[in-house]
Amino acid sequence: MATFEFVNVARPSDVKRHSTQIRRHVMKDIGKARRKPRPKKHKAIILGEQDAEEGAKNDDEEEQEDPSRAIARPSPLREGSLSTMDFPIDMDEERMGLVRFMVEEARAYYRPFRFPWLSMGLSDAASWHITLANAALYRTNPGGKKTEFTSCFEAMKWYTMSLASVTKRLADPVASDSEGLVIAVTGFVCHDSSIGNFDRFRVHMEGLKRIVEKRGGLEALSNPFLRLMISWLDIAGATYLNAKPHFNVPEGALRETDIGSNSPYLEQLLASWDANCPSLGDIMSAMKAVAAVANYINRRGEDSGFWTDDVTAARLLAPAFHEILSLEGRALPSDPEDPLYSGTAAREAFRRAALVFLAAIKVRMGAGAFEMERHLDAFRQISQLPLVDWATVPELNLWAHVVGAMQEQEQEENSPNRAWHVLTIVGIMETMGLRTGSQALDVARGIIWVDAIDKGKSEALGEEIDSYLRAASSASPQRRQHLDDVVSVDSQLDLLPADLDVSVESGSNVDRSVY
């Protein structure tokens, strides 16, 4: 229906002044007629915190915010019958027995990324073979530690079938470009990561990188779970090897920037670094990323199901790991008088402490953290370097040693390394004028902290610190010297070559020419 719009023209010359308004009104209906119907906006499907069913209710609504919408994880626990599943190979009773075991074990034991992987395993025969191999492996030791496929005849059978399929397709120019092949090789990488065989992991990951790049990169893959899984495994390997990840963080990651009000000291410390220790400048963004992760977890960590939401955890941790692992490596100056000597050592020590902190979060979420011991060891070695001026940033040094001491306790009870951390913490407390263990822990909590990974460890550490302080204050000078000598510290310890990595553990032989 036509509508009318009136304009007031007092003089003929006013027509020109109103001409734009007149043309716009005349063309309005014509423009509407020509305009194509606007397609309904559908929410971007990103991995995360809500079910697809919930998101589907709002398909016709405008997208309100970006952060975290999700697709439902595939879960046989919600299936009324396994017969509804579409398998990529013929399934006899023996094979269905393995599937039923997977479902029953899933009810009894939580394993991160079990169901995201299942959705991918069902999409390809070779991927399904590797899935059955893992099921057979777990069936030999339900709820126990995962081992090599060679430890189980049935698992080895399925693994061999998967490997044969992958090898055949790699030789075919057409089949070598399929997403199913990417999923199958990802299965090999996942297995290597889960048992800590990072020698073989590197071979498979290099091959996976070439296949993914041939397909146009990570974002060219159609399966969002696959993109997330590859990124997470890439970061797991890079963290263990102390190397830069192969892939960028995929679209849909939770890039938290709010470090929250729980980190009052951190902002002050970061603001003072440029003046006091310029060589620490480029680690600021990495420390902020870790603090943002801690803030996110402290706000949500008590929610039901948070620690079993593997997809959200991966989306949250990936950017922080990436920030830390992508920092440029720096050689330690040979001359302790060099202005960059102390800053370079402190930068690497705090970087390693941040990796230990994130590894503790991985452990809390039920994922493996084979890198923990390596980074703890590297942190101790750096902290024992001679002539480093740690007094430049004592608060962060205190936080790093508190983190190290708490995880040393987790690794080994009555560890001499933990005793060394306690002794070092007491020394830092003296320079800062702190008198009790609780005061030291309050400083550490004010920098970067996650209550859910504490679990009473900080309380035990505080008591240990106070016990040492009481013993030292009541002892004679000779006795105090004995207490200081209880833990031997090698003052001549040299920084290991390169980036402090020890040699990678050897694994089973791998055909490096496959890819």
Side-chain angles (χ1 to χ4, degrees), residues 207-467:
L208 180 60
K209 180 189 175 189
R210 285 193 285 273
I211 297 170
V212 170
E213 287 177 346
K214 182 181 176 183
R215 287 183 53 83
L218 197 62
E219 295 301 334
L221 299 175
S222 64
N223 189 317
F225 284 125
L226 180 58
R227 294 195 297 268
L228 181 80
M229 183 67 78
I230 291 175
S231 172
W232 179 255
L233 292 170
D234 180 32
I235 288 172
T239 307
Y240 180 86
L241 300 168
N242 193 33
K244 187 175 180 179
H246 292 291
F247 300 101
N248 293 327
V249 177
E251 183 182 346
L254 284 173
R255 296 181 181 276
E256 279 289 298
T257 57
D258 178 16
I259 68 173
S261 58
N262 295 326
S263 303
Y265 294 114
L266 184 61
E267 286 280 27
Q268 298 172 24
L269 292 173
L270 297 180
S272 68
W273 277 3
D274 282 336
N276 298 336
C277 198
S279 54
L280 286 174
D282 71 335
I283 200 177
M284 281 198 250
S285 62
M287 298 303 293
K288 284 184 176 181
V290 177
V293 167
N295 183 47
Y296 184 99
I297 294 174
N298 286 330
R299 295 198 314 266
R300 296 169 173 81
E302 294 184 2
D303 293 350
S304 174
F306 177 83
W307 291 103
T308 54
D309 187 351
D310 43 22
V311 171
T312 296
R315 292 174 55 220
L316 175 66
L317 293 175
F321 271 122
H322 231 276
E323 284 274 6
I324 299 169
L325 295 168
S326 297
L327 288 169
E328 178 188 3
R330 291 180 183 173
L332 183 72
S334 57
D335 182 7
E337 298 296 322
D338 190 307
L340 297 178
Y341 179 81
S342 292
T344 301
R347 174 184 183 268
E348 181 64 10
F350 301 153
R351 191 181 74 86
R352 297 292 187 142
L355 288 171
V356 168
F357 185 83
L358 292 178
I361 296 175
K362 284 175 61 179
V363 171
R364 177 65 180 82
M365 65 173 280
F370 291 97
E371 71 271 17
M372 176 78 81
E373 189 174 341
R374 295 165 69 86
H375 293 306
L376 280 171
D377 183 55
F379 174 71
R380 286 194 304 272
Q381 293 182 61
I382 300 165
S383 297
Q384 295 176 44
L385 284 169
L387 306 177
V388 175
D389 180 14
W390 296 104
T392 306
V393 278
E395 298 90 348
L396 204 59
N397 194 29
L398 176 64
W399 169 80
H401 280 281
V402 166
V403 169
M406 287 171 61
Q407 298 312 313
E408 292 284 10
Q409 178 188 11
E410 192 83 4
Q411 296 290 301
E412 180 185 354
E413 196 170 348
N414 300 321
S415 164
N417 294 324
R418 177 180 167 84
W420 173 78
H421 280 293
V422 171
L423 182 64
T424 306
I425 289 169
V426 169
I428 299 170
M429 290 171 61
E430 289 178 359
T431 66
M432 295 177 64
L434 303 176
R435 297 175 179 272
T436 66
S438 63
Q439 289 177 341
L441 290 168
D442 284 344
V443 172
R445 289 191 186 97
I447 297 175
I448 305 175
W449 198 263
V450 170
D451 293 326
I453 64 173
D454 183 339
K455 296 187 297 185
K457 291 196 286 286
S458 64
E459 184 179 350
L461 177 60
E463 291 174 356
E464 209 168 326
I465 292 169
D466 289 338
S467 176

Side-chain angles (χ1 to χ4, degrees), residues 122-135:
L122 286 167
S123 67
D124 179 83
S127 304
W128 188 240
H129 288 150
I130 199 76
T131 303
L132 293 177
N134 278 285

Side-chain angles (χ1 to χ4, degrees), residues 491-512:
S491 61
Q492 301 302 312
L493 185 66
D494 292 326
L495 199 65
L496 289 178
D499 54 11
L500 290 171
D501 270 329
V502 295
S503 58
V504 179
E505 297 175 6
S506 60
S508 55
N509 293 330
V510 180
D511 183 359
R512 297 174 183 270

